[in-house]
Amino acid sequence: MYSDSSGRPTSVIGPAGKPLSLDDLPPPSTKRWVIRRKAEVVTAVRAGLLTLEEACERYNLSVEEFLSWQSLIDKHGMRGLRTTRLQQYRRHLVGHPEKMSDTRSTS
């Protein structure tokens, strides 16, 4: 990991274990937020590649949305970012201790 003149890193190790630089981040025009892209942005902010404010401005995110991604990663790992499970995770985070069952068919 190298730093630029501002002391910020120019690359960090991303969630997939590979180097991640500003050029490797999702484009600012991203509309479809898959798990990997969300995790890359969270990793970039945590490692100092971007500030929270820069990430929110660059991707047109609210601070609350970014913090929810971060919280979901902390509590459930990258799988927590799956939108198909988001409602279950939110229910769990809000304090409804209902059993989070697997809704996939067994057939």
Side-chain angles (χ1 to χ4, degrees):
M1 178 170 61
Y2 298 99
S3 297
D4 63 13
S5 61
S6 70
R8 281 191 190 184
T10 55
S11 69
V12 297
I13 301 301
K18 297 180 181 178
L20 182 68
S21 70
L22 286 176
D23 292 337
D24 300 319
L25 290 174
S29 61
T30 299
K31 299 290 184 230
R32 186 166 180 267
W33 284 100
V34 296
I35 294 169
R36 177 187 50 83
R37 291 178 184 150
K38 292 176 186 178
E40 287 173 344
V41 173
V42 169
T43 299
V45 171
R46 284 183 167 171
L49 201 57
L50 285 174
T51 66
L52 172 61
E53 294 78 17
E54 290 168 337
C56 290
E57 184 177 326
R58 179 177 174 142
Y59 297 111
N60 197 26
L61 301 171
S62 68
V63 171
E64 292 78 17
E65 185 172 14
F66 176 86
L67 293 176
S68 75
W69 293 355
Q70 190 168 261
S71 177
L72 287 166
I73 288 173
D74 291 344
K75 290 185 169 123
H76 304 287
M78 283 182 52
R79 293 190 70 180
L81 296 172
R82 291 176 58 198
T83 57
T84 56
R85 295 279 189 200
L86 193 55
Q87 200 169 34
Q88 287 178 329
Y89 293 134
R90 282 190 179 150
R91 198 175 323 130
H92 179 71
L93 291 173
V94 173
H96 295 81
E98 298 139 5
K99 183 178 179 184
M100 291 176 46
S101 61
D102 192 347
T103 56
R104 290 178 277 171
S105 172
T106 57
S107 51

